[in-house]
Amino acid sequence: MLRRRVGGPSGPVVSTLCLGALPFGTTVDEKTSFAILDRFVEAGGNLVDTADNYAFWAPGGTGDESESTIGRWLASRRRYDEVAISTKVGARPTIPGSGLETAEGLSAPVIRKAAEASLRRLGTDHIDVYWTHIEDRSVPLEESLGALEDLVGGGKARVLGCSNHATWRTERARATARANGWTGYTCVQQRYSYLQPRFDVGLPESGHVHVTAELLDYVRSEPDLTLMAYSSLLSGAYTRPDKSLPTAYDHPGTRQRLTALREVAAELGATANQVVLAWLLGGDPPVIPIVGVSSVEQLNEVLGAVELELPGELRARLDLAAQG
């Protein structure tokens, strides 16, 4: 699998596809989770994304499950030096059974405690990419960024990223870090796919922030910034008849994009999922998609996107439909 450096010139070199581990240990059992991780690494993948709250909303879930499952896999396979771990802080509920309204937030004590808990569950001594999962405007940026700097200085985090942040907050956080001589955010993670939602309707998933044209321009202008995308395959809605698109995608532009996508997939002999991933991987700026799967068979399909050549004429056709 192709690889690229993330988070600037000193960041880790990782696979161009990232494996999303959100369901591991809850809706995907441990045996299947281990098999998916084994296949991903066998195929050359080495970047795995999780969070300290996955998946608290699943029946019986607490938020420990995904990190703990990855930790047990790392221990059983002894892959500590071969796999880069990406995890997050800030969105874990502080009251069991509640949602983001009681999220842990980004105060310095929370960041320090959460990082230690993630390291313990993962069974490792450092986190390769550590993200602030959601914004916390109740805490001064200096406090949050100072705590993150302490983690980097102590060798517990290597690269920092922000997820579900407004572009202006990302820029301000980076400026604040520069002014203080601290490590800044060099990765951004937002919801992004080929289909685009209506921003006047909103997405049903609480806390999700979609990539905007402004963010794309910002990432293009900042050479050290890496863009990663979650929900790239819209939970199977591109290919599975039992999966419907959220209401936010119900607009004329979606029909134009889907028509172009299906035509391009047919011409290439590929699946719609593979074309979407190839479109993201080769975009401007290039994107690292985070792909969530629940079986090895699903993973094998998305792995096909890495080798898929998307000729310029077909990319232009997809882009033109996206602009219509």
Side-chain angles (χ1 to χ4, degrees), residues 35-319:
I36 292 169
L37 286 159
D38 287 340
R39 175 67 183 117
F40 183 65
V41 172
E42 176 189 73
N46 77 329
L47 179 60
V48 178
D49 182 75
T50 183
D52 72 349
N53 72 337
Y54 291 165
F56 74 84
W57 55 89
T62 65
D64 290 356
E65 289 81 10
S66 179
E67 287 185 334
S68 297
T69 300
I70 294 169
R72 289 190 290 273
W73 177 81
L74 286 170
S76 68
R77 304 304 195 259
R78 312 302 298 176
R79 295 283 193 178
Y80 296 106
D81 296 328
E82 301 173 47
V83 176
I85 299 298
S86 159
T87 193
K88 311 177 192 74
V89 59
R92 185 182 176 103
T94 56
I95 300 174
S98 63
L100 289 181
E101 69 275 6
T102 68
E104 61 194 344
L106 298 175
S107 69
V110 162
I111 289 173
R112 287 192 291 266
K113 182 178 179 180
E116 292 296 340
S118 288
L119 290 168
R120 183 176 64 253
R121 286 189 289 268
L122 292 163
T124 186
D125 62 358
H126 73 275
I127 297 162
D128 294 283
V129 187
Y130 198 43
W131 305 83
T132 50
H133 201 164
I134 57 175
E135 288 189 34
D136 182 0
R137 299 188 186 184
S138 70
V139 176
L141 278 172
E142 290 80 2
E143 178 178 343
S144 301
L145 296 170
L148 292 169
E149 172 65 15
D150 290 342
L151 293 177
V152 174
K156 296 179 179 179
R158 293 186 173 173
V159 169
L160 300 177
C162 58
S163 180
N164 297 310
H165 284 48
T167 302
W168 72 268
R169 288 279 293 181
T170 301
E171 192 281 331
R172 183 167 295 179
R174 282 165 55 84
T176 299
R178 283 195 300 270
N180 287 278
W182 296 338
T183 303
Y185 293 137
T186 51
C187 292
V188 176
Q189 184 180 146
Q190 308 285 67
R191 183 180 176 121
Y192 191 36
S193 186
Y194 177 61
L195 293 185
Q196 302 294 295
R198 288 173 52 188
F199 291 97
D200 61 327
V201 173
L203 295 161
E205 296 85 356
S206 179
H208 282 202
V209 176
H210 201 280
V211 165
T212 62
E214 179 183 48
L215 177 61
L216 294 175
D217 284 343
Y218 182 56
V219 173
R220 291 185 193 105
S221 71
E222 299 289 322
D224 66 331
L225 265 183
T226 300
L227 179 60
M228 295 174 62
Y230 65 84
S231 294
S232 298
L233 300 180
L234 301 180
S235 301
Y238 283 111
T239 56
R240 292 176 54 180
D242 61 317
K243 294 286 187 177
S244 58
L245 289 168
T247 303
Y249 294 91
D250 184 12
H251 58 84
T254 291
R255 291 189 288 275
Q256 294 174 195
R257 291 177 175 86
L258 284 177
T259 297
L261 178 63
R262 289 163 181 161
E263 290 175 352
V264 169
E267 290 184 34
L268 293 173
T271 68
N273 285 338
Q274 291 169 340
V275 174
V276 169
L277 295 174
W279 182 80
L280 290 167
L281 287 165
D284 178 24
V287 177
I288 294 181
I290 302 168
V291 291
V293 299
S294 57
S295 69
V296 172
E297 291 73 22
Q298 289 178 3
L299 177 60
N300 285 333
E301 179 199 355
V302 300
L303 288 172
V306 177
E307 305 299 328
L308 183 63
E309 293 287 339
L310 190 57
E313 182 273 327
L314 296 185
R315 176 175 292 278
R317 192 190 308 176
L318 291 170
D319 291 344

Side-chain angles (χ1 to χ4, degrees), residues 5-11 224:
R5 191 176 298 278
V6 299
S10 61
D224 66 331

